Amino acid sequence: MTKEHLNEIMASLCKKLMIDKSDLVAIHEAALVALGIDSNAVPYGLDFLVLRGLGDAGVSKLSIDGFDIRLHAPENFEANGPISLVAPRGMDFPSLAPETILETISKSPSCRYLMEQRAALAELLHFDDMDDDELRQFAAYVRP
C-alpha cells in the first residue's frame, strides 16, 4: 500500500459518502500508511474517522477496490483526550497525530498484525528521549 493508493481510496470514499475531504481522517493502519511507517504490502483493514456526515451509525463497513474499510464516528472513537490531527507529507487528507495513533491502535481489529509498526512508531516518538538500550526495551514492551 502506498500513500498514493491511500489517497485514491480516501478520495473514492469521500465521493461515495458525499463528504468533504477534511471530514475523513486516516486512523489505525491507514494512519501508519499515511505517515510512511506501515510496511505491510496489503493492509489488513483500513480504518477512517468520519468527522461529519456518518451520523450515529457507529462503525460502518464497506469494501473499496477489494480493501475492507471501516468507518468510525467521532463519538464511538475512543481517545483519551482531544483528537489531534496532522497533515502527512504526500497526503491529501489528515491523519491522526502519531501520539494518538500509538494510544488508540490497540483498539484496531487489525492490531495483532501491527505490533512491529507500533514498535517502530513508539521508537520514533521517543528517539530523542532515550538511549539505545532504553529504546530497545521500550520497543519490546510495546510489541506484545
Side-chain angles (χ1 to χ4, degrees):
M1 165 77 44
T2 65
K3 288 182 178 188
E4 293 80 14
H5 197 185
L6 183 61
N7 270 331
E8 292 170 9
I9 290 171
M10 292 179 81
S12 294
L13 266 173
C14 285
K15 188 174 183 179
K16 185 176 194 120
L17 298 172
M18 295 183 286
I19 60 172
D20 189 68
K21 71 179 188 176
S22 63
D23 290 328
L24 188 63
V25 177
I27 62 173
H28 304 323
E29 189 171 7
L32 292 172
V33 171
L35 294 175
I37 295 170
D38 188 85
S39 61
N40 291 328
V42 178
Y44 291 99
L46 295 172
D47 291 84
F48 301 98
L49 181 62
V50 181
L51 298 177
R52 288 179 290 277
L54 190 58
D56 45 336
V59 177
S60 297
K61 296 179 182 180
L62 58 120
S63 182
I64 290 184
D65 295 340
F67 293 100
D68 291 331
I69 307 289
R70 296 177 292 252
L71 303 172
H72 303 262
E75 52 274 3
N76 297 320
F77 183 75
E78 298 175 26
N80 296 332
I83 298 171
S84 299
L85 305 179
V86 295
R89 185 177 301 171
M91 289 297 300
D92 299 333
F93 297 86
S95 168
L96 284 183
E99 297 83 2
T100 308
I101 297 169
L102 192 60
E103 172 194 326
T104 61
I105 199 164
S106 62
K107 297 171 180 131
S108 168
S110 306
C111 182
R112 68 180 181 265
Y113 306 114
L114 302 173
M115 288 298 109
E116 286 306 310
Q117 291 85 350
R118 183 175 184 231
L121 177 60
E123 287 182 67
L124 285 173
L125 288 174
H126 297 286
F127 183 77
D128 292 334
D129 303 331
M130 300 179 187
D131 63 33
D132 290 345
D133 191 45
E134 290 172 320
L135 277 173
R136 278 190 292 280
Q137 290 175 8
F138 185 61
Y141 171 76
V142 298
R143 277 186 182 97

